[in-house]
Amino acid sequence: MLILGIETSCDETGIALYDSERGLLAEALYSQIELHVEYGGVVPELASRDHIRKTLPLIEQVLAESGCQRQDIEGVAYTSGPGLVGALMVGSMIGRSLAYALNAPAIGVHHMEGHLLAPMLEDNPPEFPFVALLVSGGHTQLVRVDGIGQYRLLGESLDDAAGEAFDKTAKMLKLPYPGGPQVAKLAESGMPERFTFPRPMVKHPGLDFSFSGLKTYTLNTVHEHANEEGVVDDQTRADIAHAFQRAVVETLVIKCKRALKQESLSQLVMAGGVSANKELRSGLEQALAKTNAKVFYARPEFCTDNGAMIAYAGCQRLLAGQADTLAVIATPRWPMDQLPALTKS
Ligand code: KG4
Ligand code: ZN
């Protein structure tokens, strides 16, 4: 079944063609970073308008790259939530209309389910059941996954998401949006022994997270080391970035190990933008190498937003006979455990 995937939930237009027999045929991504950088973050209205400009040309591009015709498309999957409502509406309207015109089924995909299933696009994918760590700009969750649509939330952030904490730390360190990769890069030149930041909530039982205290600690450290003009020297900025990243990584690693133990499972899948972080990947790998557990993640470009993960997730649901009506419904807030389980029809 050849599926067109459309991702427009935030600041990236991602389009892909995935075939259930042949795998991923083509994908294209347009990032709006340049559009939003001068505002220091995503401006929702500008994001929606840019998705309108980019979605159709990118669909033409993936069709041309894959050698497929528009009429070959057998189903359309588009992100219908969670995300920015205007941005979601663009992808959903285009996807739903295109499917109608092609007389093909259409399905609105949950963005976080897309992230969660992205590691399935890699060689040697994980097998159900597993524990998933979802770490993106809006979510930090540990989920027990028994199958597609069989999700049990084990723990989540009580305040900021991990990606959000990276983005806010970037602002404190005067790094441009989007902050996560910038903090990670700056941290590479940080001195490990200079600062030790707190590991939030690791002493609390359970699997919830909290990153707002760490954010305040980071801000206080920045202020303490600023000169009279409010400027922090470059080495200190790098040292702070390093200490912040270390604290986030160690906190996530501790909770992942705890979740695997609690659920008696030995596979950990991590997904979402922060799972592109090299320190997090190696930190988890090292920690789990000491147990018999294994960690799975997608290639870096499929950790952040992309069309391939939406095409894949939509394909699984369409193959099982699920499809949307003609109504176009964008759901900006949408708990993942409300999704129906996949039962093969
Ligand atoms: O999954 P994603 O692309 O979009 C959402 O669904 O939110 O995640 C974006 C988040 C941003 O907060 C970004 O700063 C963070 O992921 N991020 C990273 C890295 N790459 C992206 N954080 C830390 N290290 C990275 N390498
Ligand atoms: Zn995302």
Side-chain angles (χ1 to χ4, degrees), residues 27-323:
E27 53 112 12
L29 186 81
Y30 174 78
S31 167
Q32 301 179 349
I33 289 179
E34 280 179 25
L35 181 70
H36 302 294
V37 74
E38 65 175 297
Y39 305 98
V42 182
V43 182
E45 181 58 24
L46 295 183
S48 311
R49 289 187 219 165
D50 216 34
H51 286 308
I52 293 173
R53 280 192 284 270
K54 291 295 180 314
T55 304
L56 288 176
L58 287 181
I59 292 175
E60 295 299 338
Q61 186 182 320
V62 294
L63 281 168
E65 274 172 24
S66 64
C68 296
Q69 305 298 316
R70 215 177 286 175
Q71 294 70 21
D72 299 333
I73 296 171
E74 294 170 289
V76 181
Y78 43 85
T79 307
S80 55
L84 303 171
V85 70
L88 291 167
M89 283 305 291
V90 175
S92 301
M93 288 295 290
I94 293 175
R96 190 66 199 85
S97 313
L98 193 58
Y100 180 70
L102 295 169
N103 201 21
I107 191 149
V109 171
H110 191 291
H111 181 80
M112 296 311 294
E113 179 171 81
H115 276 305
L116 170 65
L117 298 178
M120 299 287 188
L121 288 161
E122 305 300 338
D123 294 339
N124 306 315
E127 282 172 20
F128 303 115
F130 53 75
V131 169
L133 171 70
L134 299 177
V135 269
S136 70
H139 293 77
T140 302
Q141 296 184 328
L142 276 163
V143 181
R144 182 190 165 102
V145 181
D146 284 292
I148 295 179
Q150 291 174 262
Y151 307 131
R152 187 156 56 79
L153 185 65
L154 303 173
E156 65 184 330
S157 178
L158 305 175
D159 39 59
D160 293 358
E164 198 179 348
F166 265 97
D167 294 338
K168 288 178 178 168
T169 296
K171 279 198 173 165
M172 295 174 207
L173 296 173
K174 307 269 187 275
L175 293 166
Y177 144 90
Q182 301 273 348
V183 172
K185 193 157 174 283
L186 184 61
E188 283 172 17
S189 48
M191 288 188 296
E193 57 292 341
R194 173 99 182 264
F195 301 114
T196 306
F197 284 13
R199 275 72 174 131
M201 291 189 62
V202 293
K203 298 221 164 67
H204 284 62
L207 297 168
D208 286 334
F209 305 90
S210 164
F211 291 109
S212 74
L214 176 62
K215 182 182 68 188
T216 310
Y217 192 93
T218 308
L219 185 64
N220 290 342
T221 311
V222 170
H223 285 160
E224 274 166 31
H225 291 82
N227 66 15
E228 278 155 22
E229 282 90 48
V231 177
V232 182
D233 69 83
D234 286 347
Q235 186 58 53
T236 304
R237 287 167 67 241
D239 297 343
I240 291 173
H242 189 282
F244 165 81
Q245 178 173 260
R246 222 23 289 131
V248 174
V249 167
E250 274 185 28
T251 306
L252 294 173
V253 168
I254 289 168
K255 294 285 163 99
C256 285
K257 279 169 68 182
R258 199 179 286 175
L260 287 170
K261 194 164 172 219
Q262 176 188 303
E263 297 301 310
S264 306
L265 291 176
S266 57
Q267 295 178 98
L268 182 89
V269 169
M270 71 162 168
V274 183
S275 67
N277 185 280
K278 280 193 230 148
E279 289 299 311
L280 179 58
R281 287 166 175 240
S282 61
L284 267 173
E285 261 168 11
Q286 276 168 23
L288 296 190
K290 294 178 199 138
T291 68
N292 67 347
K294 211 174 158 222
V295 58
F296 298 84
Y297 41 74
R299 69 196 86 165
E301 60 271 32
F302 289 173
C303 289
T304 45
D305 294 349
N306 65 88
M309 67 184 194
I310 301 304
Y312 179 84
C315 183
Q316 306 315 307
R317 289 191 173 273
L318 288 168
L319 281 174
Q322 294 181 12

